[in-house]
Amino acid sequence: MYLADSRSTGSRGTEAAAVPDTRPGRRPAAVPSTVLALGAVSLITDVSSEMVTAVLPLYVVAGLGLSPLGFGLLDGINNGVGALVRLAGGHLADRGGRRHKLVAGLGYGLSALCKPLLLLAHTLPVLSAVLAVDRTGKGLRTAPRDAMISLATEPAQRGRAFGVHRAMDTTGALLGPLLAFAVLRATVDGYDAVFAVSGCVAVLGVVVLVLFVPRRADAPAAAVRPTPPPGPDRPPALRDAIGLLRRPELRRLTLCAALLGLTTVSDSFLYLLLQREGNLPAHLFPLLPLGTAALFLLLAVPLGALADRVGRRRLFLAGHGVLLLGYGLVLSPWHGVPALLAVLVLHGTFYAATDGVLAAATAAVVPARHQGAGQALVGTGQALARFACSLAFGAAWSLWGGRTALALTAAALAAGAVVAAFLLRGTDETHTPDEVPA
C-alpha cells in the first residue's frame, strides 16, 4: 500500500512522477491505499445518490405533477451545469499546492447537504435549485478525485487502479436502488424517509474522505527521479489549464471523447427502447440499470488491467465497438429475455472498457501539476457531448420514432469510431509528460 508523499520540483511546476517497474516476472504493485479510500468514499456516496435517483422520477412526476418531458429537460440542464462546473473544480484543485482533497471534499459536502434539503423541496423552483447545487457538487469533486487516483498510482498501473475505483463506485450504484426500495416498503412517508436516509449515508461518505484520504496524493516516492528545473515555482493559472489543449495528444483525446460522446445514447433512452422492443412489463423496468451495473462491476478491474497491457486508447475505442454491437442487437429482429440480457451485458462491458480507462488515458498525457484540469477538460467535453446527444436523440425519436433514431445514432457511432481511430493512431502511452525514464 502507498500513502501519497508530495514533492515540488521546480519553477515551472514540472514534477517527476514514478517510473513503472517493468522487470520481467515482477508482480503488479498493490492498489494504493488512496485509491481504496477514494473508492470507499465513492461507494458510500453512490449509495446515497442512487437512492434519490431511483425514486426521483416518480416523486417529481407523480408527487409534484411535472410532465416526463419536463423532468427530462430538468435533469438534462442540471447535468449540463455539473459538466461545466467540472472545469472550475479541476482548475481550483491544481492551484495552491494541489488542493485536490479540499475541492473534492467541498463537492462531496455540497451533495450531502442537498439530500436533506429535498425534504423541503415541494415546488419545482425549489427542487430545481436543490438539484442544481447537487450537480455542482458532483462537478466539483469528479476531476480532483480522478487526479488523486492518477497521482497516487504508478503510471503502468493506472488502468487497474481506475478499474478498482469504478468497481467500488458501481457497487454503490447497485446497492442504492435496493436500499431505496427497501425504505419505501418499510415506511409510511416513503419519499421523505428515502431522502433522510440518503442524507445520513452521504455524510458518512464525507467523514470517510476527511479521515482516510491523504491531503496530498502524489505518485509513489520510491521510484521518483527528481529533475529540478531553475527558477521560482508558481501555482497553475487558468490560462495554463486552458493551454493544456495545445498539447496534441490531449487535444486529440478530448476531441475523440467528445466525438464518441455525441453518438452515445443516454441510459434512460436505451432502457426505454429495450422495454418497448422486448415488451418488458413495466414493473421490471427498474431492474434494467442493475443489469448494466452488475456487468460494469464484474469487468471494471480486469478490463482496467487489460488496458494497461494492450493500450488504454485502444480499449477505449474497442468499448465503443461493443456499444455499437448493443445498438445492433436492439435493432435486430431478435427479441425476448436472451436478447435483453445480451444487450445489458454489452452495455455494462462498454462502461467497464471506457469509463475508468478514459481517465487513465488522460492521466498519461497531462503533467502531474495539471492532473485536475486535464481530467476536467476531457470529462467536460465528453459530458457536454452526451448531453447534446440526448437532446438530439429525443428530438429524432419524436419525429421519426425510436428505432429510426437509434439506427441513425448507430451509423454516426460507426463513422465516429473510424475518425477516432485515425486521430489516435500511433500515440504513445508509455510515460506522462513529467516522467523521466530511469
Side-chain angles (χ1 to χ4, degrees), residues 282-295:
H283 69 277
L284 296 179
F285 183 81
L287 298 179
L288 295 179
L290 298 181
T292 295
L295 264 296

Side-chain angles (χ1 to χ4, degrees), residues 11-412:
S11 67
R12 305 186 182 195
T14 304
E15 301 166 18
V19 179
D21 189 344
T22 56
R23 288 176 292 175
R26 182 72 172 177
R27 293 183 61 186
V31 176
S33 60
T34 298
V35 175
L36 297 177
L38 288 169
V41 174
S42 293
L43 187 158
I44 296 168
T45 302
D46 243 36
V47 170
S48 171
S49 298
E50 293 302 323
M51 285 182 69
V52 173
T53 301
V55 302
L56 193 61
L58 291 175
Y59 174 70
V60 171
V61 174
L64 301 184
L66 187 66
S67 69
L69 177 59
F71 174 75
L73 291 174
L74 174 67
D75 185 63
I77 291 172
N78 286 328
N79 278 316
V81 169
L84 292 175
V85 172
R86 188 179 303 186
L87 288 172
H91 170 64
L92 290 174
D94 288 335
R95 289 186 60 82
R98 300 203 204 120
R99 301 171 179 171
H100 299 109
K101 180 178 177 179
L102 177 62
V103 177
L106 177 61
Y108 282 110
L110 282 176
S111 294
L113 178 65
C114 289
K115 302 305 187 298
L117 289 180
L118 289 171
L119 294 168
L120 308 176
H122 300 303
T123 63
L124 182 59
V126 176
L127 179 65
S128 300
V130 172
L131 291 179
V133 175
D134 178 68
R135 297 298 184 180
T136 299
K138 181 176 176 60
L140 280 176
R141 70 182 184 249
T142 300
R145 179 203 66 201
D146 285 350
M148 284 191 284
I149 295 173
S150 300
L151 293 168
T153 308
E154 292 186 12
Q157 301 296 328
R158 281 175 177 154
R160 181 170 175 262
F162 275 104
V164 169
H165 175 268
R166 291 326 193 243
M168 297 178 72
D169 182 87
T170 306
T171 301
L174 278 168
L175 296 176
L178 298 176
L179 182 56
F181 291 135
V183 172
L184 283 175
R185 290 179 62 89
T187 58
V188 177
D189 298 324
Y191 293 123
D192 287 349
V194 168
F195 298 151
V197 173
S198 173
C200 295
V201 175
V203 170
L204 177 60
V206 176
V207 171
V208 172
L209 175 75
V210 172
L211 295 180
F212 296 103
V213 176
R215 186 174 65 86
R216 297 182 63 165
D218 293 297
V224 170
R225 182 178 171 183
T227 308
D233 194 10
R234 65 174 177 84
L238 181 60
R239 63 178 177 273
D240 298 327
I242 298 175
L244 288 173
L245 289 176
R246 289 196 295 267
R247 295 175 174 270
E249 288 197 343
L250 181 63
R251 186 170 61 247
R252 289 197 295 268
L253 189 61
T254 304
L255 179 60
C256 290
L259 178 64
L260 294 172
L262 283 171
T263 56
T264 302
V265 176
S266 75
D267 295 353
S268 298
F269 279 126
L270 184 62
Y271 296 146
L272 188 57
L273 273 171
L274 279 175
Q275 190 268 334
R276 294 191 176 186
E277 293 295 321
N279 295 316
L280 185 70
H283 69 277
L284 296 179
F285 183 81
L287 298 179
L288 295 179
L290 298 181
T292 295
L295 264 296
F296 189 0
L297 172 62
L298 290 174
L299 297 177
V301 176
L303 288 185
L306 179 64
D308 291 331
R309 295 196 297 271
V310 305
R312 294 147 192 164
R313 299 173 183 86
R314 185 177 301 170
L315 191 64
F316 179 71
L317 291 173
H320 284 84
V322 170
L323 180 64
L324 185 60
L325 290 177
Y327 290 170
L329 273 181
V330 177
L331 295 170
S332 73
W334 184 36
H335 299 303
V337 174
L340 184 147
L341 293 177
V343 173
L344 293 180
V345 167
L346 293 172
H347 197 222
T349 303
F350 156 70
Y351 275 118
T354 58
D355 187 35
V357 171
L358 178 61
T362 302
V365 295
V366 179
R369 72 196 304 261
H370 290 299
Q371 278 293 321
Q375 295 288 349
L377 284 171
V378 176
T380 298
Q382 184 186 58
L384 290 177
R386 287 182 174 178
F387 170 57
C389 178
S390 293
L391 294 181
F393 189 87
W397 188 327
S398 300
L399 289 173
W400 305 306
R403 287 183 62 85
T404 301
L406 185 62
L408 292 173
T409 304

